[in-house]
């Protein structure tokens, strides 16, 4: 495992990390989470991603219980959470707890996450989506204040436009506040525009780091959806029915079939090929993996050995297959 600076910050994150979306509480209980966190940590993973909204707070509870069981030194791992939807994307009861980055919500949200995770501070906090109804300055001040209070160490954004990230960074620069240091975008073989084009100027000009999500496009890039939706997979979960059409996209599944030949020639799995392809991008600080089972995590960590095998010729072949289908 190698470690990369999170953007311009001094924090070193492992090139592969592990997240809890969909899995924790729904597919992965505390025992299994503890086992997977331990396996990842033993392989050198030092960053674990979470969000307030995942399983309506229960994902933070599971991760907190697992940390407690593992008794790691707090200096040795990095944990994140994200704020925007409140505890539930559906909840519409209080205007201050739904789809917002206003100060009232953010200052309460951090306390809830700390409580659920049983931690004194969280390393990375994210604005989970942009909020066009709150002035960016209000959000920047609240995030910066949370850091000044010592409840979190670094802050960033997720799925913000380049223009909004730059606006936030400039407000912080102007007022000597804590600047956003990282963004969490979707990035995989079929989803590339933002990371490769839209953010291009931000890397050097603001020192933006990236913690990228859904490296396997929710499993599509493993080839498991080529013959329909397998039982027990993410696509089979009732709560994920909205993603089924994307997972069964015929053109993308045919492209995955073509990638299989490249993976076989390299002696790796499709998942490893897709993850290694992301990891070779030096703008990516860490690739956040997802896994519902230990065997998947082990497969995915094997991508580390594949990254050095991706020569420009092989990358050109991969691009010829996937780029025409990428957003
Ligand atoms: N900021 C954001 O808005 C945002 C959004 C999404 C995710 N994220 C973060 O990014 C992390 C990773 O995203 P993701 O879970 O969507 O990643 P992903 O790698 O695209 O999908 C992971 C899922 O694919 C299946 N899978 C993984 N490895 C496999 C393998 N080797 N063989 C077969 N199936 C395999 C598993 O689902 P099944 O076994 O159930 O099929 C697993 O849960 C999340 O946990 C979260 O921390 C952030």
């Amino acid at each position: 495992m190698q470690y990369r600076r999170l953007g311009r910050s001094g924090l070193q994150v492992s090139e592969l990390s592990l997240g809890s979306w969909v899995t924790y509480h729904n597919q992965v209980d505390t025992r299994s989470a503890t086992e997977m966190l331990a396996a990842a940590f033993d392989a050198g993973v030092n960053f674990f991603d979470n969000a307030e909204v995942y399983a309506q707070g229960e994902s933070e509870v599971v991760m907190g219980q697992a940390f407690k069981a593992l008794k790691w030194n707090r200096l040795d791992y990095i944990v994140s959470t994200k704020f925007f939807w409140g505890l539930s994307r559906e909840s519409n009861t209080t205007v201050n707890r739904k789809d917002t980055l206003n100060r009232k919500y953010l200052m309460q949200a951090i306390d809830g996450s700390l409580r659920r995770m049983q931690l004194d501070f969280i390393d990375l906090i994210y604005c989970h989506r942009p909020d066009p109804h709150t002035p960016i300055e209000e959000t920047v001040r609240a995030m910066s204040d949370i850091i000044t209070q010592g409840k979190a160490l670094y802050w960033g954004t997720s799925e913000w436009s380049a223009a909004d990230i730059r606006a936030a960074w400039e407000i912080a620069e102007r007022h000597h506040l804590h600047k956003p240091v990282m963004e969490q975008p979707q990035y995989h073989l079929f989803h590339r525009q933002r990371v490769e084009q839209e953010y291009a100027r931000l890397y050097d000009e603001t020192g933006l780091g990236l913690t990228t999500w859904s490296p396997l496009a929710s499993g599509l890039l493993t080839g498991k959806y080529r013959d329909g939706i397998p039982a027990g997979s993410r696509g089979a979960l009732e709560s994920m029915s909205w993603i089924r059409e994307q997972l069964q996209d015929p053109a993308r599944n045919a492209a995955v079939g073509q990638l299989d030949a490249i993976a076989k020639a390299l002696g790796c799995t499709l998942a490893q090929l897709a993850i290694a392809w992301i990891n070779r991008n030096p703008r990516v600080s860490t690739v956040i993996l997802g896994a519902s089972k230990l065997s998947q995590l082990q497969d995915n960590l094997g991508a580390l050995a594949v990254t050095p095998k991706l020569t420009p010729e092989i990358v050109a072949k991969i691009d010829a297959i996937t780029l025409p289908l990428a957003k």
Side-chain angles (χ1 to χ4, degrees):
M1 187 73 67
Q2 293 184 24
Y3 299 83
R4 297 181 187 169
R5 280 175 66 193
L6 183 62
R8 205 172 274 169
S9 81
L11 192 68
Q12 303 265 345
V13 284
S14 50
E15 56 191 331
L16 301 183
S17 46
L18 182 61
S20 61
W21 180 52
V22 186
T23 53
Y24 279 30
H25 184 69
N26 300 310
Q27 298 168 298
V28 170
D29 61 12
T30 300
R31 213 184 112 263
S32 157
T34 309
E35 184 182 44
M36 283 197 262
L37 286 173
F41 192 75
D42 287 349
V45 170
N46 72 359
F47 169 41
F48 304 98
D49 186 63
N50 215 320
E52 174 193 56
V53 75
Y54 295 169
Q56 306 192 354
E58 292 301 323
S59 169
E60 292 180 328
V61 171
V62 167
M63 197 176 267
Q65 289 169 343
F67 286 150
K68 202 136 212 175
L70 288 161
K71 298 193 173 73
W72 294 336
N73 183 333
R74 188 66 186 85
L75 255 181
D76 293 339
Y77 67 97
I78 298 163
V79 58
S80 71
T81 197
K82 316 187 197 81
F83 308 125
F84 177 66
W85 284 287
L87 280 176
S88 161
R89 296 181 72 152
E90 280 77 45
S91 114
N92 200 7
T93 46
T94 36
V95 81
N96 284 319
R97 292 302 306 265
K98 190 179 154 40
D99 300 13
T100 186
L101 295 173
N102 70 27
R103 183 175 183 86
K104 178 165 172 61
Y105 160 68
L106 289 171
M107 300 314 274
Q108 294 175 3
I110 181 68
D111 289 339
S113 291
L114 288 172
R115 217 170 27 246
R116 284 186 295 277
M117 291 218 233
Q118 306 181 60
L119 293 173
D120 299 328
F121 67 92
I122 289 167
D123 301 274
L124 312 182
I125 51 170
Y126 294 84
C127 298
H128 209 157
R129 287 295 180 271
D131 170 14
H133 307 294
T134 297
I136 292 182
E137 180 166 344
E138 178 176 336
T139 299
V140 171
R141 281 193 185 276
M143 296 300 273
S144 182
D145 284 350
I146 290 171
I147 289 171
T148 303
Q149 290 174 345
K151 295 177 178 177
L153 305 184
Y154 302 88
W155 77 275
T157 55
S158 180
E159 297 295 343
W160 278 33
S161 69
D164 281 358
I165 295 170
R166 185 181 291 277
W169 191 89
E170 286 175 352
I171 288 165
E173 166 95 340
R174 206 157 47 239
H175 298 287
H176 304 289
L177 303 171
H178 294 286
K179 291 178 187 140
V181 305
M182 71 284 177
E183 155 65 37
Q184 187 167 135
Q186 181 172 186
Y187 186 48
H188 53 72
L189 281 163
F190 295 130
H191 198 102
R192 303 164 63 154
Q193 201 276 340
R194 225 168 206 172
V195 166
E196 295 177 3
Q197 309 295 329
E198 185 181 337
Y199 294 158
R201 288 187 200 286
L202 294 177
Y203 304 125
D204 291 330
E205 292 175 10
T206 70
L208 187 72
L210 297 181
T211 66
T212 63
W213 60 267
S214 282
L216 301 175
S218 276
L220 169 70
L221 282 159
T222 67
K224 71 198 293 176
Y225 295 103
R226 286 173 65 198
D227 301 315
I229 307 258
S233 67
R234 180 174 292 185
L237 294 173
E238 210 32 61
S239 58
M240 296 300 289
S241 57
W242 56 273
I243 212 174
R244 279 182 202 146
E245 200 180 320
Q246 293 170 45
L247 292 173
Q248 295 187 95
D249 182 284
R252 287 184 171 184
N253 276 293
V256 172
Q258 288 177 267
L259 290 177
D260 206 18
I262 300 176
K264 286 210 168 75
L266 290 175
C268 69
T269 64
L270 273 166
Q272 291 169 349
L273 183 75
I275 293 162
W277 177 87
I278 302 169
N279 189 29
R280 66 173 247 302
N281 183 337
R283 299 304 191 184
V284 173
S285 318
T286 182
V287 183
I288 310 176
L289 307 175
S292 67
K293 298 179 186 71
L294 182 61
S295 57
Q296 293 176 353
L297 176 65
Q298 285 161 340
D299 179 14
N300 300 348
L301 289 170
L304 289 178
V306 181
T307 309
K309 297 184 187 171
L310 296 185
T311 60
E313 294 73 33
I314 292 172
V315 171
K317 279 191 202 169
I318 295 172
D319 281 349
I321 295 167
T322 54
L323 206 46
L325 300 169
K327 283 200 228 164

